[in-house]
Amino acid sequence: MAEHTSTQAGDGGRLQAVLSPEDEAGQARFDEIIAQDSRIEPRDWMPEGYRKTLTRQVSQHAHSEIIGMQPEANWITRAPSLKRKAILMAKVQDEAGHGLYLYSAAETLGTPRHVLNEQLLTGRAKYSSIFNYPARTWADMGAIGWLVDGAAIANQVPLCRASYGPYGRAMVRICKEESFHQRQGFEILLELSRGTAEQKKMAQDAVNRFYEPSLMMFGPPDADSPNSKQSMAWNIKRFSNDDLRQRFVGMIVEQAKVLGLTLPDPDLRFDEESGKWIHQDLNWDEFKAVLAGNGPCNAQRLQRRREAHEDGAWVREAAAAYAAKTNEKAA
Ligand code: BYC
């Protein structure tokens, strides 16, 4: 483990990390597993950088699921029918479940959940930029399902093959549920698009507002993505941010036609020569502002999360008391 690692002056007087024989063997085994495209499990030796990167990505992902419940939960009481309400409630509950699988996967890397939660509540941890945009109309439930869950699927299906076992396995179930979410969003938009002129306008307006933020979910352009190269070398990420964004654009262009809606992008076209979709330049200044906490809803999302955490204190206390009692009895 890294605790055994010492440093000594190397060539030119620079300090170099020296691995203990135990670490050297661990590193060799780790490299072999990665080269075989096989899986690392929690008890396996892993480099500290790998552990850190995964803890960062998996916990950010978990936070995104939990914060991501808010824009939709906001519409449960205003869903237009009992059927829509039941479906939306099931979807929001699914997101809570995804958060739980992902926190559990992150904990296997050694950081306890209360620490991860603290990072979220104090605003130190990131979560997906998309959830800092407001859900203004019922049609936004359609646009979020179609575009946000659609982008999530495009990004997450390759993560089912992530080299870290608990993360990859959690992603399999999450992706199945995300597919249902995407379809329910598509179906909401389809119904609105085939409805009155006013309903169609509402659907188009929602797509207009969520198009660009959903493309930003894939992260910064490859040239500005500090983590991609190493994460791909470790078989955590399988495709670059731009490659996944491309796939997503190709997917929604066709689906928009079926919906009878347009994508608000005057530059959108397929370039035969490069085999790539050309889309408008995304507003990366806005993306940075959202990540820095200055998006339209950052403050509200965190405040609501803090309140929910406080409101849930009695549940945690009751669960801890029950566990203590059960342990006492067993002893
Ligand atoms: N928002 O080097 P990069 C869902 C950060 S779906 C916020 O490319 P990486 C859901 C990035 O963390 C959404 N931050 O990073 C759907 C890094 O920050 P630090 C969640 C972003 O990790 C429906 C920095 O920018 N999905 O949950 O290689 C309903 C540099 O970026 C974003 C996942 O989390 C962003 N959009 O690639 C409810 C999927 N993009 O930590 C819920 C798993 C980048 O270095 N995660 N950053 O300071 C991933 O696949 C990757 O972490 C990313 C970023 C593609 C997001």
Side-chain angles (χ1 to χ4, degrees):
M1 300 286 289
E3 294 89 72
H4 303 297
T5 307
S6 61
T7 51
Q8 70 180 29
D11 285 349
R14 275 181 311 158
L15 285 179
Q16 287 186 339
V18 176
L19 294 180
S20 68
E22 214 180 277
D23 284 342
E24 258 177 40
Q27 179 76 56
R29 178 78 192 117
F30 174 87
D31 292 343
E32 200 181 311
I33 294 173
I34 297 295
Q36 288 166 349
D37 203 357
S38 191
R39 280 206 148 139
I40 305 292
E41 296 298 338
R43 292 203 178 96
D44 290 339
W45 188 98
M46 61 187 88
E48 275 312 297
Y50 180 83
R51 190 184 295 278
K52 260 197 184 158
T53 289
L54 272 163
T55 304
R56 177 184 66 78
Q57 178 166 327
V58 180
S59 63
Q60 285 177 1
H61 195 164
H63 300 327
S64 303
E65 299 283 355
I66 297 300
I67 297 282
M69 294 163 73
Q70 291 187 35
E72 291 173 297
N74 181 33
W75 277 90
I76 290 175
T77 54
R78 290 176 286 166
S81 70
L82 182 61
K83 189 180 106 187
R84 292 289 183 201
K85 192 193 288 270
I87 295 171
L88 190 59
M89 274 169 64
K91 180 179 192 270
V92 174
Q93 281 180 342
D94 283 352
E95 313 297 357
H98 298 173
L100 298 188
Y101 316 150
L102 288 165
Y103 281 126
S104 299
E107 281 194 296
T108 65
L109 291 155
T111 309
R113 172 137 170 222
H114 70 89
V115 174
L116 301 173
N117 195 45
E118 181 74 10
Q119 291 169 354
L120 174 65
L121 297 181
T122 53
R124 278 179 293 139
K126 290 194 172 77
Y127 58 85
S128 184
S129 49
I130 192 76
F131 301 117
N132 293 307
Y133 292 86
R136 294 192 198 286
T137 68
W138 171 252
D140 288 13
M141 297 303 96
I144 290 176
W146 179 45
L147 293 173
V148 175
D149 288 279
I153 295 170
N155 166 261
Q156 291 170 19
V157 165
L159 291 173
C160 295
R161 294 191 292 119
S163 57
Y164 189 57
Y167 190 33
R169 288 190 287 273
M171 290 317 303
V172 173
R173 179 155 173 191
I174 291 176
C175 284
K176 284 189 183 153
E177 293 176 350
E178 298 289 20
S179 303
F180 152 69
H181 297 169
Q182 200 248 0
R183 280 167 206 201
Q184 69 87 39
F186 183 88
E187 203 262 337
I188 290 175
L189 288 179
L190 189 64
E191 196 161 317
L192 290 174
S193 171
R194 290 177 177 171
T196 63
E198 203 181 343
Q199 285 171 329
K200 183 164 185 174
K201 194 165 162 253
M202 184 166 66
Q204 185 62 61
D205 170 65
V207 169
N208 291 350
R209 282 182 287 107
F210 278 93
Y211 171 72
E212 187 168 347
S214 72
L215 293 193
M216 290 177 180
M217 286 174 68
F218 295 91
D222 293 351
D224 302 323
S225 163
N227 301 302
S228 281
K229 197 165 167 239
Q230 182 61 73
S231 288
M232 287 173 76
W234 278 329
N235 295 344
I236 298 171
K237 285 169 87 159
R238 297 288 177 158
F239 299 98
S240 75
N241 297 356
D242 286 333
D243 283 351
L244 290 173
R245 199 172 358 253
Q246 278 285 316
R247 283 183 180 207
F248 176 62
V249 171
M251 194 177 95
I252 58 174
V253 163
E254 291 308 312
Q255 294 177 354
K257 288 181 196 159
V258 179
L259 284 173
L261 299 173
T262 54
L263 296 172
D265 187 341
D267 300 339
L268 194 59
R269 67 183 172 86
F270 187 72
D271 181 46
E272 295 286 349
E273 210 170 289
S274 60
K276 289 197 167 168
W277 285 98
I278 310 291
H279 56 75
Q280 68 188 23
D281 288 338
L282 303 177
N283 185 347
W284 294 111
D285 288 338
E286 177 179 306
F287 176 76
K288 282 180 200 149
V290 171
L291 260 59
N294 301 319
C297 297
N298 293 60
Q300 181 189 329
R301 300 286 186 242
L302 269 188
Q303 179 58 25
R304 182 71 202 99
R305 185 68 223 127
R306 287 188 195 111
E307 286 163 7
H309 186 69
E310 276 163 33
D311 288 350
W314 69 273
V315 180
R316 291 190 296 280
E317 278 161 28
Y322 179 74
K325 234 189 216 171
T326 314
N327 287 344
E328 219 172 84
K329 260 192 198 162

